[in-house]
Amino acid sequence: MKSIVLCTENIEKRFGGVIALKDGSIEIRPGEVLALVGSNGSGKSTLTKVITGVLSSDGGTITYHDKPVSYSNPMAAQRAGIMAVYQELSLIPSLTVAQNIWLANEPKTRFGSIDSKTMNAETAKLLTLFEGTFQPSLHPEAYVRDLPLDERQIVEILKAYSRKPEVLILDEATASLDSKQVNCLFDLIQLLKSEDKGLVFVSHRMDEIFRIADRAVILRNGKTVGEVLIADSNEDEIVHLMVGSNVGLTRELGGRMTFSAQESVLIVEDLENEQLNGVSFNIKQGELVGIGGLRGQGQSSLLHTLFGNSHYTGKITLFDETLSFDHPKEAIEHGVALIPGDRATEGLLLLRSIFENFHLPNWAKYCRPLLKMKSAHSDAEEMGKQLNLIMESLDAPVSSLSGGNAQKVVIGKWLLREPKLLLLDDPTKGVDVGTKSEFYKLLVKLQENGTTILFYSSDEQELLDLCERVLVMQDGKVKADLSGDNLTEANLVFHSMGATNNNNHHEESTHA
Amino acid sequence: MKNILKKITWENFKKFNSKYSYLVSFILLLALATIINPRYFSYRNLSTLVLQASIKGIITLGMSMVIIAGLIDLSVGSMVALTSGLGVVVLNATGNAWIMLAFCLVFGTILGAINGLLVTKGKIAPFIVTLATMSMYRSIIVQLGQGGPFNVDLALVDKFRMIAAGNILGIPNLAVIFAITTIIISLVMAKTKFGRYVYAVGSNEQAAKLTGIHVDRVKTMTFTITGLLTGLAAFLLASRLTSITAPNAGVSFELDAIAGVAIGGIAMTGGSGVIAGSFLGAIMLQMIEGILIAAKIPPFLNGLVKGAIIIFTVLLQHRNITQRKMRLKAKSADKEEAVKANPVE
């Protein structure tokens, strides 16, 4: 048994009323790669951020080199030798590669000024670790702003490596790398392993976990639920631990509807842009289709593209018409509505009243040419009642509403238009349980009235409860199309993680 | 009991003030002026006040639309000089004030549209675009006039100056025109689809776009309408002065318009405020000028006072916003507690 370099016990973290982490316990051992595994919202990232001092914990202890520690900021953790590489990069675009790598850690000359020569030479040495996997435009004096995403990720990794960390945490660091670059990274990890450093590898790719990790800790709903030795385990066991025993849950709101010989209203072929790598699927009239997968796999981009808010190549056929929307306006005129993910930045006019927010897409209806405020007011009143909106008055600013009620306004503004295709971008994030169940009822009611719904959610349970079919996305592609008996939580998680060599969860393509 | 009564009225006043701050400051200012000079509060004096505020006031109306949309226009002063200077040339050539009016409106509209298109199609920050056009518009008219004035022909002067100097039923023409323009712009902003879109764009551009609003068109339109109103102001200024000196006409009108918008209670960050506020804002600015003269403060310090007014009102706006945010936070924290105490389901 090797000694332990860093261990966390029962770490807790709350964001307002939401508990992100209840019992985060891991042990990091020198010369070993620990994989941290869990589905969306299981608390992986929160735990790593608590360790590196990005977030403060609300309970539990961190022991580092046998001493209890707690870092109030990332700089303090870095000084102690704990480094992390995140998927969201922290490089400064207007500085060169070398300046970024040595930022706040610059080699000095005898006179105390920055020794650029040494800095660039050292950087060139570091870059040889990834030799042959990047363009010649990546060199110590290149500006980071001119580099593509994968090369920036390499710089970020080298920056962490150059600080000679005792503990290195790689949080989804492979997401933007190609296979050659991943190989180089894994060589680097092996090198650190041989130097007895502690390594934490957070990834949603099963194959990578099995290639590089020695041990895996599985998190579920903010709790450490298991630990396995990779050599003695398999993908099934890990997926099972991630999902827990709650398999076989069925939809609470009536049985799943089945769709047979109906026309497809939305046909998407080979959709491509920065986030999408060839998405194809079709949806039938009145279907409620879920979009699953881990966060950031192109789900939002897909919805925005269908709504005309993003450039793309490929073909979209909606209601037997081949379309190319340049602006959301055109999509709206074709009966499409989008309920965006972030209420504050994309959904609401926070300074304006509830009344105005309700009617923003609907004013054309009240033009005579001056707006008929009275009838608009009574329509909004009606909609507020229908949605069971708890408010002071329609003229109160929308910012005075709670999260759930504010989301009702975002939905209500589209319902007044009676959309034919409703796109939802993770709409229940940060919404309380009561409002959520009202919201589910509303969706089912809309579906019964013939609205076709495409529903992205980062909450697997929600997808299982509501949808008759779920498209699982990974890397900007539809990885699996699950429906009927194949639509289980295990299958959802399994395909989200990009697992492949599995027999028990074999899925037949039901793609028509 | 007395305490409660007192508290209620104070609370109510605060509520009223947060919504109608421009009315409260107008009344306070009027009271102050009346205390300094008891004869201040007279019809004659007040109508003169509106008359004096009207030309800059019309521009202030346009500026408030631009600012509500989350933008800024620094070029209005130079636009006035260029439009009125050329307007005088048109008047002298045709001898017809109607043709001059049409010219000023169309030309102002074009200048405004240029600003708007550079901001939206050129994707340049409005501050940069209008700073540059401010310099360009002024430079053109100074060159055309060779630094000298554009004078209305002697044969036309007497009739032409009556447009600005005349009265309708004892009310100065300029005051009437200012009031009518205010009513029209008020209606546009409060009661038309376009007006609602301007507020939406200033409040949250991204949300506005995702609701199907052509954000760029709305922005271009606010600049264009400001150009139109500036053209009208240029026409009236020419009638009032009958001689436009290119280097001086309309100088610092942008400052006065922005200051008027600020004391009119319109948020400098966009998305809120009403046109009635900028109407009173323009008048209040005129009152302050009058008070400064009465108080024998040197006119050289006018700029100091106006600049200070802008900073002071924006500071107050920030304080209001922070307070509102804190209240909201407290409110949602209460709600969370309540949810925890009585879990749903």
Side-chain angles (χ1 to χ4, degrees):
Chain A
M1 189 85 174
K2 281 171 181 162
S3 60
I4 293 164
V5 52
L6 187 147
C7 98
T8 71
E9 282 172 282
N10 310 48
I11 299 286
E12 271 182 54
K13 178 71 197 172
R14 287 184 297 271
F15 294 105
V18 183
I19 298 164
L21 203 56
K22 275 185 281 209
D23 176 15
S25 304
I26 58 170
E27 289 171 358
I28 303 170
R29 296 173 195 164
E32 195 189 64
V33 179
L34 172 72
L36 210 51
V37 196
S39 48
N40 287 330
S42 58
K44 297 170 301 213
S45 285
T46 310
L47 182 56
T48 59
K49 283 179 180 157
V50 169
I51 295 173
T52 54
V54 176
L55 297 170
S56 60
S57 70
D58 294 322
T61 53
I62 304 174
T63 316
Y64 181 50
H65 285 310
D66 300 324
K67 268 177 262 165
V69 292
S70 138
Y71 300 111
S72 53
N73 61 63
M75 279 306 279
Q78 281 177 27
R79 245 178 267 126
I82 302 171
M83 287 288 307
V85 177
Y86 298 106
Q87 196 181 353
E88 314 99 61
L89 302 176
S90 61
L91 300 175
I92 298 169
S94 57
L95 293 182
T96 67
V97 171
Q99 283 164 348
N100 264 291
I101 289 181
W102 299 98
L103 189 66
N105 193 26
E106 292 90 351
K108 298 280 164 67
T109 62
R110 265 184 306 160
F111 308 107
S113 61
I114 291 171
D115 185 355
S116 316
K117 232 180 180 176
T118 316
M119 204 164 83
N120 288 336
E122 289 291 320
T123 306
K125 247 191 252 169
L126 284 173
L127 283 171
T128 57
L129 289 166
F130 281 85
E131 189 131 47
T133 66
F134 52 81
Q135 301 293 315
S137 58
L138 172 57
H139 56 82
E141 287 173 87
Y143 285 96
V144 164
R145 60 166 179 256
D146 301 329
L147 302 177
L149 197 59
D150 55 332
E151 294 181 359
R152 289 185 195 201
Q153 184 74 65
I154 291 174
V155 174
E156 182 91 25
I157 292 166
L158 292 176
K159 179 179 168 186
Y161 173 70
S162 74
R163 318 233 156 165
K164 304 196 167 47
E166 280 297 301
V167 172
L168 179 62
I169 298 170
L170 297 155
D171 191 351
E172 311 273 16
T174 57
S176 52
L177 300 182
D178 67 25
S179 59
K180 267 193 200 160
Q181 293 164 333
V182 170
N183 287 342
C184 289
L185 173 63
F186 283 5
D187 289 345
L188 186 68
I189 291 176
Q190 294 293 357
L191 182 72
L192 286 166
K193 242 174 94 169
S194 67
E195 290 172 3
D196 265 351
K197 309 294 187 208
L199 291 139
V200 179
F201 186 70
V202 183
S203 173
H204 54 254
R205 293 186 186 174
M206 275 295 181
D207 57 326
E208 289 177 359
I209 293 167
F210 276 84
R211 263 177 70 194
I212 194 73
D214 300 300
R215 218 154 35 90
V217 165
I218 293 97
L219 289 173
R220 185 171 73 231
N221 298 334
K223 264 185 175 165
T224 299
V225 291
E227 183 173 329
V228 296
L229 281 174
I230 292 294
D232 303 340
S233 184
N234 56 36
E235 292 183 355
D236 264 350
E237 188 185 0
I238 291 178
V239 168
H240 192 78
L241 281 166
M242 283 169 64
V243 175
S245 52
N246 53 345
V247 276
L249 268 173
T250 48
R251 176 164 145 146
E252 289 161 18
L253 306 144
R256 285 189 190 127
M257 294 188 205
T258 44
F259 281 85
S260 43
Q262 272 169 311
E263 262 179 83
S264 291
V265 289
L266 174 66
I267 304 167
V268 172
E269 289 162 81
D270 286 323
L271 227 50
E272 267 182 53
N273 62 17
E274 286 89 5
Q275 274 94 43
L276 304 177
N277 297 314
V279 172
S280 303
F281 61 87
N282 48 27
I283 295 181
K284 291 176 183 131
Q285 170 76 43
E287 218 176 357
L288 199 171
V289 177
I291 303 177
L294 290 142
R295 276 197 196 107
Q297 304 297 312
Q299 296 99 332
S300 291
S301 175
L302 171 63
L303 296 177
H304 278 265
T305 304
L306 292 175
F307 195 55
N309 193 33
S310 191
H311 295 284
Y312 65 94
T313 58
K315 197 174 159 198
I316 300 174
T317 314
L318 182 66
F319 308 119
D320 297 325
E321 220 182 312
T322 303
L323 298 170
S324 59
F325 297 138
D326 284 333
H327 192 279
K329 177 104 200 256
E330 296 161 40
I332 291 164
E333 278 163 1
H334 279 83
V336 186
L338 171 78
I339 292 171
D342 192 331
R343 286 188 294 281
T345 61
E346 298 179 320
L348 294 171
L349 313 174
L350 287 176
L351 293 168
R352 309 306 302 172
S353 66
I354 297 165
F355 170 64
E356 271 192 73
N357 273 282
F358 261 141
H359 278 308
L360 195 55
N362 310 317
W363 286 122
K365 223 162 87 181
Y366 303 98
C367 269
R368 298 278 183 290
L370 289 191
L371 298 171
K372 302 274 274 185
M373 286 300 181
K374 245 190 188 159
S375 87
H377 218 273
S378 64
D379 285 358
E381 200 85 56
E382 185 65 28
M383 182 51 63
K385 255 183 229 154
Q386 201 183 320
L387 291 167
N388 201 5
L389 192 68
I390 299 160
M391 57 177 174
E392 261 174 61
S393 82
L394 271 179
D395 296 317
V398 80
S399 55
S400 68
L401 295 175
S402 69
N405 279 299
Q407 189 69 318
K408 285 183 192 170
V409 176
V410 180
I411 297 163
K413 72 176 183 185
W414 293 117
L415 296 188
L416 285 161
R417 290 188 72 94
E418 296 171 357
K420 287 188 272 184
L421 173 65
L422 184 62
L423 311 169
L424 300 127
D425 184 2
D426 213 357
T428 57
K429 210 166 38 185
V431 167
D432 62 276
V433 189
T435 311
K436 264 190 196 176
S437 77
E438 279 179 49
F439 175 70
Y440 298 153
K441 280 178 202 147
L442 183 70
L443 278 193
V444 172
K445 202 170 116 195
L446 282 171
Q447 189 195 6
E448 282 163 0
N449 292 341
T451 311
T452 309
I453 302 171
L454 193 55
F455 174 43
Y456 162 52
S457 171
S458 56
D459 180 347
E460 280 101 17
Q461 199 55 52
E462 212 168 78
L463 293 173
L464 291 168
D465 286 348
L466 279 169
C467 306
E468 46 267 351
R469 201 175 129 209
V470 175
L471 308 170
V472 182
M473 287 189 71
Q474 196 201 11
D475 286 338
K477 278 189 200 127
V478 174
K479 189 84 183 171
D481 185 339
L482 305 172
S483 60
D485 293 340
N486 284 321
L487 184 50
T488 61
E489 187 171 7
N491 260 340
L492 260 185
V493 170
F494 192 77
H495 289 288
S496 306
M497 306 282 288
T500 43
N501 60 339
N502 182 281
N503 301 317
N504 300 344
H505 299 281
H506 195 73
E507 147 261 352
E508 285 165 84
S509 176
T510 49
H511 205 92
Chain B
M1 192 65 203
K2 248 183 185 171
N3 275 338
I4 295 170
L5 266 178
K6 213 172 166 186
K7 200 177 166 191
I8 287 171
T9 39
W10 177 237
E11 284 298 312
N12 282 347
F13 171 74
K14 274 210 294 202
K15 228 180 192 172
F16 182 82
N17 187 30
S18 74
K19 214 172 170 184
Y20 300 105
S21 64
Y22 55 93
L23 259 181
V24 173
S25 27
F26 180 69
I27 291 165
L28 286 177
L29 207 55
L30 202 59
L32 180 72
T34 316
I35 290 166
I36 295 174
N37 175 7
R39 271 177 298 175
Y40 194 87
F41 198 82
S42 68
Y43 170 75
R44 206 188 135 76
N45 200 12
L46 289 183
S47 69
T48 313
L49 193 66
V50 179
L51 169 117
Q52 285 169 336
S54 59
I55 291 177
K56 287 178 197 168
I58 289 168
I59 297 171
T60 308
L61 299 176
M63 185 66 82
S64 50
M65 281 177 102
V66 169
I67 288 178
I68 289 171
L71 310 160
I72 192 94
D73 188 345
L74 301 177
S75 70
V76 287
S78 300
M79 230 191 265
V80 163
L82 179 54
T83 312
S84 58
L86 292 179
V88 169
V89 174
V90 170
L91 179 71
N92 289 343
T94 61
N96 187 328
W98 290 107
I99 295 177
M100 177 190 175
L101 175 63
F103 167 81
C104 286
L105 297 182
V106 171
F107 193 70
T109 306
I110 292 169
L111 294 183
I114 290 172
N115 280 339
L117 290 172
L118 282 170
V119 167
T120 55
K121 299 282 172 216
K123 301 202 189 313
I124 313 173
F127 166 71
I128 302 293
V129 166
T130 57
L131 187 68
T133 53
M134 168 170 103
S135 159
M136 288 156 66
Y137 297 161
R138 172 77 59 191
S139 173
I140 293 169
I141 195 65
V142 172
Q143 165 65 26
L144 289 178
Q146 288 297 307
F150 293 81
N151 293 320
V152 176
D153 280 350
L154 278 176
L156 299 164
V157 164
D158 284 336
K159 219 175 151 198
F160 181 61
R161 62 179 290 277
M162 283 319 285
I163 296 170
N167 294 290
I168 302 169
L169 306 171
I171 308 169
N173 284 353
L174 282 180
V176 173
I177 295 169
F178 183 29
I180 291 173
T181 319
T182 303
I183 292 168
I184 293 172
I185 299 295
S186 265
L187 282 175
V188 166
M189 288 300 280
K191 297 256 175 188
T192 68
K193 202 170 72 171
F194 169 74
R196 309 301 5 170
Y197 288 179
V198 174
Y199 282 104
V201 168
S203 177
N204 187 342
E205 222 179 294
Q206 184 63 14
K209 189 185 176 197
L210 287 176
T211 315
I213 294 170
H214 285 282
V215 172
D216 281 355
R217 282 186 211 166
V218 171
K219 286 183 174 176
T220 310
M221 267 312 272
T222 59
F223 279 113
T224 310
I225 293 173
T226 302
L228 173 74
L229 293 173
T230 308
L232 175 64
F235 174 77
L236 297 173
L237 188 74
S239 163
R240 200 175 151 131
L241 301 178
T242 67
S243 167
I244 297 295
T245 37
N248 299 329
V251 163
S252 87
F253 273 22
E254 65 285 336
L255 177 75
D256 289 5
I258 293 169
V261 168
I263 27 178
I266 291 169
M268 284 291 130
T269 43
S272 73
V274 292
I275 296 300
S278 60
F279 173 79
L280 285 185
I283 292 172
M284 278 190 270
L285 206 65
Q286 199 61 48
M287 287 167 77
I288 292 168
E289 260 176 41
I291 292 172
L292 292 181
I293 292 166
K296 298 211 167 58
I297 291 171
F300 297 125
L301 292 179
N302 264 351
L304 176 76
V305 174
K306 283 176 196 163
I309 288 170
I310 295 180
I311 290 176
F312 182 68
T313 46
V314 173
L315 276 177
L316 277 181
Q317 284 172 6
H318 279 317
R319 228 193 59 184
N320 279 339
I321 290 170
T322 355
Q323 277 176 350
R324 214 185 301 164
K325 269 187 191 155
M326 301 238 302
R327 271 207 301 277
L328 274 177
K329 234 181 188 173
K331 208 172 176 179
S332 60
D334 285 352
K335 269 184 193 154
E336 253 165 37
E337 290 296 318
V339 169
K340 261 188 235 160
N342 318 294
V344 197
E345 280 193 334

